[in-house]
Amino acid sequence: MRRIGICALLVALLAAAPAAAQPAQKIIFDTDFAFPPQDDAMALFFVLNSPEVETLGITTVAGNRSRNVATADALKVLELTNRSEIPVFEGAAGPLLHQGTDWDLKRHGGWYANEPAPAPPGGFAKKKAETRSAVDFLVSTVMQSPGQVTILALGPLTNIAMAMRTEVNFARSVKQLVIMGGAIASLPDGGGNHTPNAEFNFYVDPEAAQIVLRSGIPIVLSPLNVSRKARFTKEWYDRIVAVDTPITRLVKDNLGPGFQQRPDRIGLMYDQIAAVTLVRPALMKTVELYVDVDINPGVNYGVSVGAPQTWPGGEGARKMLVQTDLDWDAFIRLYVERVTAQGRARK
Ligand SMILES: [Ca+2]
């Protein structure tokens, strides 16, 4: 009887052990960063307060704004949230091949600029970017721990494509890629947000997007189809700023004026969904699709196309998990809970 008792106790202890001993997943946060309300910053707040995730470094890339803005703003946000121990590495200042036109310059063409960054709110951070490049950091970090590092890719995929070209074993050594990008027109809510059918991140660097989507790295794709189901309103803003932390102060300073002006405004959530995917993937509904990116100059430059089977001309498409919907209620509650947590950012 006593032996059975001890056995039962051991079994119970062993059953409890894995959950307690679960190590944090190592990630690299690849981003076309800018101060909130931009979604990259709002995604970083979630990651900083999620103990399941260990951010090894932030790599910056040209996208929504220039690479220089991305670097300066990331350093400053880390300083303001007392997380300057996370290193920032400068990445690509522009796409692999895509030449910006006058049209681009007039419409969200920050990626097509390389002027020095203006000072972020409160002035430049004391800490500078690391001297090593983003590509060097991506390659060496992934190759040191093959199969263990996840990349959260929240901007154009230029840095990741360059890492693949720098180290032939890079792709097979990445654990997983969670990508905010693309739009699947064959599914609901799948039109583009920049050109009629192209999503912004993929449009900025279509060649990089195609290289990365064809890489064979296990991919979870978070396209506009799911972003359009995540509508951030003042109700949730109010819940965040009801708590006072360095992070919620940043949210208040940067989202407050917009909500004051138009309390009925709605902000779609993009990068935040990819960030939450790291912690609670089951909150997002996914389908398995073959996805590829059009790199032919013309009306579909940068357009992602997805289907349950390959199609003539789509032989290069690789299978990946594509998010189509989410459990909004559970998602937003978890997001707000984490962003308002009295985490390590407290001071
Ligand atoms: Ca982004």
Side-chain angles (χ1 to χ4, degrees):
M1 279 299 281
R2 195 167 160 221
R3 276 179 80 174
I4 291 168
I6 288 167
C7 281
L9 182 68
L10 273 173
V11 167
L13 282 172
L14 284 171
Q22 193 82 34
Q25 48 175 322
K26 297 177 194 303
I27 71 147
I28 296 173
F29 191 100
D30 187 71
T31 174
D32 54 340
F33 200 87
F35 256 66
Q38 193 172 298
D39 52 336
D40 298 68
M42 300 298 283
L44 182 66
F45 296 153
F46 179 88
V47 167
L48 290 179
N49 276 348
S50 289
E52 303 92 337
V53 176
E54 181 191 357
T55 305
L56 303 175
I58 293 177
T59 50
T60 60
V61 66
N64 255 307
R65 308 283 300 278
S66 71
R67 183 273 319 265
N68 296 344
V69 169
T71 306
D73 282 12
L75 286 163
K76 187 64 182 182
V77 165
L78 289 173
E79 182 176 279
L80 290 170
T81 53
N82 306 311
R83 295 299 298 271
S84 292
E85 85 279 4
I86 297 174
V88 176
F89 301 85
E90 276 203 317
L96 297 181
L97 295 177
H98 190 179
Q99 296 287 324
T101 62
D102 287 346
W103 186 91
D104 292 302
L105 285 174
K106 286 183 200 131
R107 294 169 184 80
H108 233 63
W111 54 275
Y112 197 54
N114 202 23
E115 288 89 28
F124 288 104
K126 287 189 197 76
K127 193 176 165 190
K128 303 283 176 241
E130 306 299 311
T131 49
R132 287 164 64 198
S133 72
V135 170
D136 184 27
F137 175 71
L138 280 159
V139 168
S140 60
T141 307
V142 165
M143 298 314 293
Q144 272 165 25
S145 307
Q148 290 179 44
V149 180
T150 292
I151 302 170
L152 180 63
L154 305 180
L157 295 167
T158 322
N159 288 338
I160 298 158
M162 287 171 72
M164 283 175 59
R165 289 294 184 259
T166 303
E167 167 55 61
V168 290
N169 292 315
F170 179 79
R172 76 182 65 145
S173 305
V174 174
K175 181 182 180 188
Q176 189 185 38
L177 261 171
V178 181
I179 299 172
M180 190 284 129
I184 307 296
S186 58
L187 298 175
D189 295 321
N193 65 351
H194 196 56
T195 71
N197 279 340
E199 177 275 333
F200 181 78
N201 285 346
F202 281 13
Y203 170 79
V204 170
D205 199 340
E207 286 79 12
Q210 189 189 77
I211 289 168
V212 173
L213 261 58
R214 290 183 176 191
S215 65
I217 301 171
I219 290 175
V220 179
L221 189 67
S222 190
L224 294 179
N225 307 70
V226 67
S227 312
R228 288 178 170 132
K229 310 232 169 42
R231 297 157 68 87
F232 187 80
T233 59
K234 189 167 180 299
E235 177 196 350
W236 298 104
Y237 163 79
D238 286 341
R239 290 194 197 196
I240 290 175
V241 301
V243 181
D244 185 44
T245 72
I247 284 176
T248 64
R249 264 173 252 154
L250 266 168
V251 173
K252 193 174 184 178
D253 290 348
N254 293 281
L255 275 70
F259 277 118
Q260 208 162 25
Q261 212 171 34
R262 273 190 43 209
D264 61 341
R265 73 187 298 146
I266 288 164
L268 293 183
M269 299 173 85
Y270 303 93
D271 295 345
Q272 299 95 321
I273 299 175
V276 173
T277 301
L278 297 171
V279 174
R280 295 274 193 287
L283 293 180
M284 271 54 79
K285 188 175 162 193
T286 58
V287 289
E288 244 187 1
L289 294 182
Y290 290 88
V291 183
D292 202 6
V293 179
D294 196 332
I295 59 166
N296 294 302
V299 290
N300 284 323
Y301 191 48
V303 168
S304 48
V305 182
Q309 290 91 30
T310 55
W311 60 95
E315 292 84 2
R318 301 293 289 254
K319 210 189 257 189
M320 59 196 70
L321 285 176
V322 179
Q323 297 177 339
T324 58
D325 205 345
L326 77 176
D327 179 345
W328 167 251
D329 200 50
F331 167 85
I332 191 65
R333 281 174 200 285
L334 176 68
Y335 178 79
V336 171
E337 179 194 306
R338 291 292 170 92
V339 169
T340 55
Q342 301 283 358
R344 287 161 65 188
R346 186 176 191 182
K347 200 161 225 184

